[in-house]
């Protein structure tokens, strides 16, 4: 439940409150490069941004499988813990405390491994983003340094280009962060949507009418029920419910 509520809050906050200002800031930075320094600077900027976003999407999609595994392990561990606590009398009666503890420990081991993989993959994602932006920055600064050497730009232009790249890195990093958080949020709440999509097994007949009970009694005959067909629970039981 905590992961679901956090996932919903993350999606709403980043899609509505942060995405639009970030895109506007990026566009203004790109226009300044094009207007002040020419198409080559814009082309390098556009390629850097494209490579950055492409890598972020691919790496984030790769991390989703790891995040889903962590969520499944967390759910499994919580289920085992709650089941043991709710049925602690049965556990104590059969002396299964050690077995239940081992089951929970195994679930937590899987969760710990998945959580470690999540943070490790995040480190690789940030490293790749840094490499891509570093290459783009290096190309832009080399172009500006050569222009300074030719006398086409001043040292002030070189410093300005560097400052604008630093300014561009802020919205670019934020775009990657927003996409990653939204994908992660959708993964965290997907189990809730799976529950909403579960179809009802017991349904009223299309021509069913409202049940009206006055003083009449209810009689059940030959009642069968089973969660699993191989393990029936009720086997043709009859019983009566008298009128109150």
């Amino acid at each position: 439940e905590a992961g679901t509520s956090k996932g919903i809050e993350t999606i709403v906050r980043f899609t509505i409150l942060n995405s639009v200002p970030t895109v506007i800031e990026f566009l203004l930075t790109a226009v300044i490069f094009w207007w002040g320094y020419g198409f080559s600077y814009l082309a390098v900027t556009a390629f850097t941004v494209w490579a950055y976003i492409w890598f972020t999407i691919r790496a984030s999609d790769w991390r989703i499988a790891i995040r889903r595994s962590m969520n499944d392990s967390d759910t499994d561990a919580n289920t085992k813990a709650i089941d043991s606590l709710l049925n602690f009398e049965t556990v104590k009666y059969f002396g299964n405390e050690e077995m239940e503890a081992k089951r929970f420990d195994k679930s937590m081991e899987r969760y710990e491994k998945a959580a470690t993989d999540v943070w490790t993959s995040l480190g690789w994602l940030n490293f790749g983003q840094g490499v891509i932006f570093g290459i783009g920055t290096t190309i832009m600064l080399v172009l500006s340094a050569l222009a300074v050497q030719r006398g086409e730009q001043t040292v002030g232009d070189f410093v300005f280009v560097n400052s604008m790249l630093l300014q561009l890195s802020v919205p670019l990093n934020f775009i990657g962060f927003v996409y990653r958080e939204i994908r992660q949020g959708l993964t965290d709440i997907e189990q809730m949507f799976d529950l909403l999509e579960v179809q009802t097994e017991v349904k009223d007949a299309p021509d069913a009418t409202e049940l009206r009970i006055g003083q009449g009694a209810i009689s059940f005959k030959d009642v069968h029920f089973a969660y699993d067909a191989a393990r029936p629970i009720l086997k043709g039981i009859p019983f009566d419910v008298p009128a109150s």
Side-chain angles (χ1 to χ4, degrees):
E1 293 179 359
T4 299
S5 60
K6 182 180 178 181
I8 295 174
E9 185 268 340
T10 297
I11 294 172
V12 173
R13 177 158 54 92
F14 284 117
T15 54
I16 296 178
L17 301 179
N18 300 104
S19 298
V20 174
T22 300
V23 172
I24 293 176
E25 183 177 1
F26 163 71
L27 291 176
L28 289 176
T29 303
V31 168
I32 291 174
F33 273 131
W34 182 29
W35 185 268
Y37 298 99
F39 179 77
S40 60
Y41 290 83
L42 175 62
V44 174
T45 302
F47 179 79
T48 301
V49 171
W50 175 83
Y52 186 98
I53 294 177
W54 177 84
F55 174 78
T56 299
I57 292 174
R58 293 296 298 270
S60 297
D61 292 343
W62 163 61
R63 293 184 68 243
I64 289 304
I66 303 175
R67 182 78 180 189
R68 188 176 290 115
S69 175
M70 187 186 74
N71 289 343
D72 292 341
S73 300
D74 184 40
T75 300
D76 183 56
N78 290 334
T79 300
K80 285 181 170 58
I82 293 173
D83 185 54
S84 299
L85 292 174
L86 290 178
N87 300 282
F88 73 94
E89 298 98 337
T90 305
V91 174
K92 299 287 285 185
Y93 182 80
F94 289 98
N96 280 349
E97 294 93 337
E98 184 177 354
M99 187 195 74
E100 293 296 332
K102 288 181 179 179
R103 292 175 64 224
F104 181 74
D105 288 341
K106 288 181 180 179
S107 298
M108 288 305 299
E109 286 177 5
R110 290 193 295 270
Y111 174 78
E112 290 170 3
K113 183 181 184 303
T116 301
D117 291 341
V118 165
W119 289 106
T120 302
S121 62
L122 177 60
W124 283 110
L125 171 60
N126 291 334
F127 175 76
Q129 291 173 331
V131 168
I132 292 173
F133 191 79
I135 293 175
T137 300
T138 300
I139 295 174
M140 294 276 283
L141 292 181
V142 168
L143 290 175
S144 181
L146 293 176
V148 171
Q149 189 178 37
R150 293 192 301 267
E152 299 173 358
Q153 294 182 13
T154 65
V155 176
D157 290 318
F158 180 85
V159 174
F160 179 74
V161 169
N162 185 45
S163 300
M164 290 300 296
L165 288 173
L166 293 177
Q167 182 67 25
L168 178 62
S169 67
V170 176
L172 200 56
N173 287 334
F174 197 77
I175 288 176
F177 175 73
V178 167
Y179 179 80
R180 184 175 71 244
E181 290 297 317
I182 290 176
R183 288 284 291 156
Q184 187 169 290
L186 290 173
T187 302
D188 289 342
I189 67 175
E190 67 181 6
Q191 289 184 342
M192 180 187 70
F193 288 112
D194 290 341
L195 290 176
L196 295 176
E197 292 176 358
V198 173
Q199 298 295 322
T200 303
E201 294 184 0
V202 180
K203 299 181 180 179
D204 290 336
D207 57 346
T209 60
E210 292 292 332
L211 179 62
R212 296 182 175 88
I213 300 176
Q215 297 297 320
I218 302 177
S219 180
F220 292 87
K221 296 180 180 179
D222 195 26
V223 178
H224 294 265
F225 177 77
Y227 290 104
D228 183 353
R231 301 175 60 187
I233 298 174
L234 301 180
K235 306 174 183 179
I237 296 177
F239 61 94
D240 297 322
V241 181
S244 56

